[in-house]
Amino acid sequence: MKLAAIDTEKGPAVGVVVRDDVLDLTAAWPSLFGGRNGGAPATVLDLIASDGALSRLRTRLADPGSFPAEHVRSLGGVRLNAPLPTPGKLICVASNYAAHIEESGRSAPVDRHNITPWLFLKPPTTIVAPGAAILVPRDGQAIDWEVELAAVIGKPGKHIPAQRALDHVFGYTIINDISERRFKAPEGRPEREWDKFFDWLHGKWFDGFAPMGPWIVTADEIADPQALTLELRVNGRLRQRGSTAQMIYPVAELVAFASSIMTLMPGDVIATGTPQGVGAATGEFLRAGDVVECMVEGAGTLVNPVRAEDDP
């Protein structure tokens, strides 16, 4: 099932996407389950956090022909928002593909079992919707792209064993982990030991630097999260192509490791890293007027234009 956040004349709503149509689930809830609008999810997070709601919905909507026709719209006529615009945590994984590590001029690890993943957080203000602009900051110098599969947590957990970790995954979406590779520091700044690391980290945090979407695909539709093709195009030109099979740490191990540090909650998002082909490898970066397309097999295509921060 594909679950989207949509805009309607009555406000934000949850949409179920089937081929080229969208069911306004929020509006259709009373006719599907009886009663008034009480209990109808207004956001995708409401649905994720509602115990048993997804299984009931899956049974009720097994036949798309049973959709209440008055609440079905054309996908092309619906505005999509980021499916989770304010997750409790947006956890990102750095350097999770060997070829990406190597194109950055470093050596990939030989054995993942004697090291740990590198996790960092992005603030919710980095998240923007499909079709929303990726903003080149006022002092932006080297704005880079990174297509990533993102896992959405459905069940809370701490110290989750890797063999049960995928049971905690509600579904999957796409994140474009945008980066400023040359964060502008004040002139004359004295060199400090950790400046390089924090400049890298600051370059991840600009507004709009985590486009998300176009929807969440429930986990039952992704038979194996480690067998998906990822692609990214800039102005139609293929820049990244890889497979989630190339991850150093698969999704289950990332969920397990993250939960060993912090309690994972419904609606938390883990972006699992990017394959080779980033702009930093060639010195080519995003500019105003570009269009970026991120595709993850089974999860859809996320498209965002690029514009300067101060442009109207």
Side-chain angles (χ1 to χ4, degrees):
M1 190 178 299
K2 296 179 177 68
L3 300 171
I6 62 174
D7 273 343
T8 74
E9 61 276 4
K10 295 183 179 179
V14 179
V16 178
V17 179
V18 179
R19 293 185 290 275
D20 295 325
D21 291 326
V22 181
L23 169 68
D24 181 344
L25 181 62
T26 304
W29 194 266
S31 59
L32 289 170
F33 296 105
R36 301 188 175 182
N37 259 353
T43 68
V44 177
L45 181 57
D46 290 341
L47 192 58
I48 294 171
S50 178
D51 186 37
L54 184 63
S55 59
R56 290 171 56 215
L57 181 61
R58 187 176 288 116
T59 300
R60 184 68 179 83
L61 300 181
D63 175 15
S66 68
F67 287 9
E70 66 272 24
H71 300 304
V72 176
R73 306 177 180 202
S74 167
L75 178 58
V78 171
R79 178 181 173 184
L80 299 178
N81 295 315
L84 290 167
T86 55
K89 295 184 280 293
L90 173 52
I91 304 166
C92 298
V93 183
S95 300
N96 197 31
Y97 286 75
H100 173 52
I101 296 172
E102 291 164 356
E103 73 176 352
S104 303
R106 296 174 287 122
S107 298
V110 176
D111 182 2
R112 73 173 188 266
H113 299 293
N114 59 10
I115 57 173
T116 56
W118 286 345
L119 306 185
F120 63 97
L121 300 177
K122 280 197 160 190
T125 46
T126 60
I127 297 173
V128 293
I134 298 167
L135 299 180
V136 177
R138 291 179 181 178
D139 293 324
Q141 302 181 84
I143 310 305
D144 208 345
W145 55 80
E146 293 185 10
V147 59
E148 306 196 9
L149 172 71
V152 178
I153 300 301
K155 294 196 305 183
K158 183 74 184 291
H159 300 299
I160 302 168
Q163 60 268 29
R164 295 208 305 268
L166 294 185
D167 295 339
H168 289 256
V169 174
F170 176 86
Y172 300 91
T173 189
I174 302 170
I175 291 282
N176 188 355
D177 177 17
I178 302 294
S179 306
E180 164 59 273
R181 302 292 191 190
R182 299 174 191 156
F183 181 77
K184 187 175 181 180
E187 290 187 18
R189 181 181 69 176
E191 185 175 344
R192 296 174 297 175
E193 180 180 1
W194 290 95
D195 276 345
K196 185 175 180 180
F197 168 74
F198 279 101
D199 285 351
W200 173 84
L201 193 57
H202 294 153
K204 295 283 189 178
W205 289 348
F206 286 90
D207 290 350
F209 269 27
M212 176 193 289
W215 39 66
I216 294 171
V217 179
T218 53
D220 60 295
E221 293 202 6
I222 302 290
D224 182 359
Q226 304 310 141
L228 306 176
T229 298
L230 306 89
E231 293 182 349
L232 182 142
R233 286 176 166 80
V234 179
N235 302 327
R237 178 185 172 193
L238 183 65
R239 303 308 305 261
Q240 286 186 277
R241 192 173 199 278
S243 169
T244 56
Q246 299 165 328
M247 287 183 188
I248 295 171
Y249 296 95
V251 174
E253 291 186 21
L254 292 173
V255 171
F257 178 73
S259 77
S260 73
I261 300 170
M262 61 194 100
T263 300
L264 297 180
M265 298 298 294
D268 286 349
V269 178
I270 302 177
T272 57
T274 198
Q276 73 278 9
V278 299
T282 61
E284 300 176 76
F285 298 104
L286 294 175
R287 297 175 297 178
D290 288 342
V291 176
V292 186
E293 300 173 63
C294 298
M295 187 284 297
V296 175
E297 184 180 358
T301 301
L302 172 66
V303 182
N304 296 90
V306 181
R307 69 173 175 85
E309 181 179 19
D310 294 328
D311 287 349

